[in-house]
Each structure stands twice: as C-alpha cells, then as structure tokens.
Amino acid sequence: MNSVNSHRHAKLYRYQLPMDSGVVLRDNKLNERVGYIIQLECDGKTGFGEVAPLPGFSQEDAEQAGIQLQHELELWNHNNPQTPFDQLYPSVAFGFSMAMMELRGELNAEGNYQAAPLCTGDPDELIPVLNEMKGEKVAKVKVGLYEAIRDGMLVSLFLESIPDLTLRLDANRAWKPEKAKQFIKYIAPSLRQRISFIEEPCQKPEDSLAFAIDHGVAIAWDETLQEAVRSPEFDLSDLTGVKAVVIKPTLIGSVERCVAIIERAQQLGIKPVLSSSIESSLGLTQIARLAQQYLPDEVPGLDTIGLYQQQLAVSWPGCQLPVSTLEQQQLIWSS
C-alpha cells in the first residue's frame, strides 16, 4: 500500500473568476464563477479535472461539491476503493472521471474548438464568422427571453438573409404552448427545416413534443435529459421523439456516462451534442477534446468563454482574455 501511495499526489484548488458584467442565469446575476480544479499525479503522469456546479442548474452547490471532492481525493490518494461515479454529484463525477481519463492518457490532445456562434441581432455581423467555419454553417439563438413574436421575426430574418445557415435555438422551457405557436407562426414552413433543433421549447416535455409534431420542427432535450439520468432505470430510448440531445457533462455526470449517452443516441438516430455549463477555459478545452474524440463531425456548444473576464491555466484557442494560473488560486488540499 505505501509503495503505491508514494507515487500518488493530489492537489485541490478552489478558483474564483470574475464574469462579464451581463451574465444572468435564471434571473440571477452571476458576478463570479466559483469551482474546483483537481490535479492528480501518479508515476510521472498528471491529470486535471474541473468541478464547477452551475448555480440554478446543478442539484449541488459549490460547497457540497467541494466536501465530496476532498473525500474522494483522500480515498484516491490512499489507494482506497472510490465511490462509484453514479453515486456522486454530477459535477464531481465529471471532474474526477476527466482527471482519471487524462491521467491514464485516454483523452486525445486534439480538440474540436468550432463553436456555434451566438447571434444577437444583426445577420451582417454573423456572416464573416460563418465564412470561417468548416463544414456546416451553424449558429445559435437564445429565444424565450423577449416576446415570442419578436423571436420568431428575428429567427426568420437570419434564415432568409443567410441561405446556407442552420440554427440551433435554445428556449430553456420558456414558453407555454400558445407562446410557442406565436413564435413558429412567423417562420415560414420552408425555412423550418433549417432549424437544426429547438432546445426545450415548452415548460412541459409533452407540450414540446406536441409542438414539434404539429409544426414540423425538430426539438432537443436538455433539462429533460438531466432529469431523466437521475433515475436508476434511465434509458435514452424513453426520451425519443426528438432530433437531438444536449449533453452538458457538469450536469450529467462522469465521462463514461456521457459517452454511453452519445453511443446510445447514435444507435437511436438521435444527434448528440456536447455543450458547456460555463466551465472555465480549463474545463471547456477538455470538453472540446472529448467532442473531437467522440463527435468529430458535430459542432459542440462551447462558445461560453466570452462570459468570463479571465481564463484559467489553459488558453482557449483564439481567446485574448488574460490567463490566471492555478498557483494564483486557493490551494485548499494537497498530498
């Protein structure tokens, strides 16, 4: 035991990174992002993982995650059996499994850093960004924050102005069925097939499915998937009727669980998309590497680094924000 243990070292950092001034999550302003970075070392190899519950979305908060994480690190450090990942908080399971994967050399170095750019209002601003994209020209629009009619007119404008554009729309369960109908009424049926999917258009999943069938528009599960995976009997085939599933590892759980969902979705003919829960640049680049490894032809939803004022340890390609080192964060535990 001791000889094994002498090769194992771990560090646990708590980071606090300032956010851009306008970040609002479910009506709460997010001034800073708080999370943890674990660093595992064994036999000359190193693995990192990020554990950052997302306020308002994760079941666990940062403090609960930190306590559980430290316990798991102590078990790992002493080479004791660890708690199965599916019994841990999703954010802890993801960060720990990612660190283990990197430690074992199983995470490819290459990343898929193509991001679906977020459109806010002017199609002309989007065109140069799309011209640089390889393959499918795909962009994302947040809907449901304003009037449904305004959203419908905006989406229609984008699709009419840019003939080879495909849009992913994220509604975050904003609409009752009548609002969803108001929205889609402003988008001609001929344009609707270029809506790759709408994430969770309605407050109730059954209303979202009815909306998809009635209006010939593809939808995706995001929150519905997060809720379903909490059940021990979870099977993705129970969530059919959708074109895509949005997999946010911090909210879903371990890398193994995410990969299992990707593979099951592909068997069922559902498009799996890996997406961010506003991780720091360190966690975000790891999800980009995961996306390249398992979904090389699918643009992931990882365009969130611009919500920060700083990066952490690893720079996101092309991002000009200053990079804060791990040593500048709070070291709360080490072995």
Side-chain angles (χ1 to χ4, degrees), residues 80-111:
N80 290 331
Q82 283 182 263
T83 312
F85 286 138
D86 59 6
Q87 291 172 29
L88 298 174
Y89 293 128
S91 64
V92 175
F94 171 58
F96 217 109
S97 61
M98 184 56 94
M100 300 283 281
M101 187 180 187
E102 205 171 55
L103 188 68
R104 291 191 300 258
E106 292 169 3
L107 182 64
N108 293 357
E110 196 183 332

Side-chain angles (χ1 to χ4, degrees), residues 10 17 47 86 89 109 184 192 200 215 310 313 324 329:
L17 297 174
D86 59 6
Y89 293 128
I184 203 70
R192 289 177 196 174
E200 306 272 354
H215 300 284
Q310 288 175 6
S324 175
Q329 310 308 313

Side-chain angles (χ1 to χ4, degrees), residues 117 119 123 126-127 130 133 136-141 154-168 191 193-196:
C119 320
L126 188 61
I127 291 166
L130 292 172
M133 291 182 83
E136 189 188 15
K137 307 252 184 281
V138 58
K140 186 170 176 175
V141 180
L154 181 68
V155 168
S156 184
L157 172 69
F158 275 117
L159 293 170
E160 282 172 5
S161 311
I162 309 172
D164 57 349
L165 174 66
T166 307
L167 284 181
R168 295 175 179 176
L191 298 175
Q193 73 267 23
R194 286 198 284 124
I195 296 174
S196 182

Side-chain angles (χ1 to χ4, degrees), residues 112 247 262 266 271-274 290-300:
N112 182 348
I247 301 166
I262 287 171
Q266 289 168 329
K271 179 202 290 260
V273 178
L274 278 165
L290 203 62
Q292 178 62 28
Q293 198 159 328
Y294 289 98
L295 293 166
D297 301 324
E298 198 57 65
V299 177

Side-chain angles (χ1 to χ4, degrees), residues 37 48-50 279-287 312-314 326:
I37 302 295
F48 292 94
E50 175 167 349
E279 292 81 7
S280 76
S281 58
L282 188 150
L284 208 55
T285 51
Q286 288 186 320
I287 299 174
L312 182 63
V314 180
L326 283 180

Side-chain angles (χ1 to χ4, degrees), residues 22-204:
V23 183
V24 176
L25 286 180
R26 293 212 170 141
D27 303 330
N28 295 316
K29 207 164 177 318
L30 193 64
N31 295 315
E32 62 173 13
R33 193 81 170 90
V34 175
Y36 302 90
I37 302 295
I38 48 180
Q39 180 178 337
L40 305 180
E41 287 178 25
C42 187
D43 298 333
K45 298 187 176 70
T46 305
F48 292 94
E50 175 167 349
V51 174
L54 188 59
F57 291 81
S58 290
Q59 305 153 257
E60 68 279 13
D61 63 24
E63 194 179 343
Q64 290 170 315
I67 291 166
Q68 191 179 74
L69 191 51
Q70 190 168 326
H71 176 68
E72 290 305 308
L73 277 171
E74 286 168 359
L75 291 175
W76 179 84
N77 193 55
H78 292 104
N79 213 27
N80 290 331
Q82 283 182 263
T83 312
F85 286 138
D86 59 6
Q87 291 172 29
L88 298 174
Y89 293 128
S91 64
V92 175
F94 171 58
F96 217 109
S97 61
M98 184 56 94
M100 300 283 281
M101 187 180 187
E102 205 171 55
L103 188 68
R104 291 191 300 258
E106 292 169 3
L107 182 64
N108 293 357
E110 196 183 332
N112 182 348
Y113 300 107
Q114 287 244 106
L118 195 60
C119 320
T120 44
D122 184 356
D124 292 339
E125 288 174 13
L126 188 61
I127 291 166
V129 182
L130 292 172
N131 286 342
E132 287 179 21
M133 291 182 83
K134 302 180 192 81
E136 189 188 15
K137 307 252 184 281
V138 58
K140 186 170 176 175
V141 180
K142 291 263 186 203
V143 293
L145 299 172
Y146 305 103
E147 269 305 305
I149 293 167
R150 175 194 177 279
D151 285 338
M153 291 166 81
L154 181 68
V155 168
S156 184
L157 172 69
F158 275 117
L159 293 170
E160 282 172 5
S161 311
I162 309 172
D164 57 349
L165 174 66
T166 307
L167 284 181
R168 295 175 179 176
L169 309 179
D170 185 2
N172 276 125
R173 295 183 171 178
W175 294 323
K176 292 198 163 90
E178 54 273 21
K179 283 280 185 202
K181 279 183 198 139
Q182 279 180 357
F183 164 79
I184 203 70
K185 199 168 70 180
Y186 281 84
I187 302 166
S190 60
L191 298 175
R192 289 177 196 174
Q193 73 267 23
R194 286 198 284 124
I195 296 174
S196 182
F197 51 78
I198 306 180
E199 285 176 43
E200 306 272 354
C202 301
Q203 288 161 354
K204 295 180 183 161

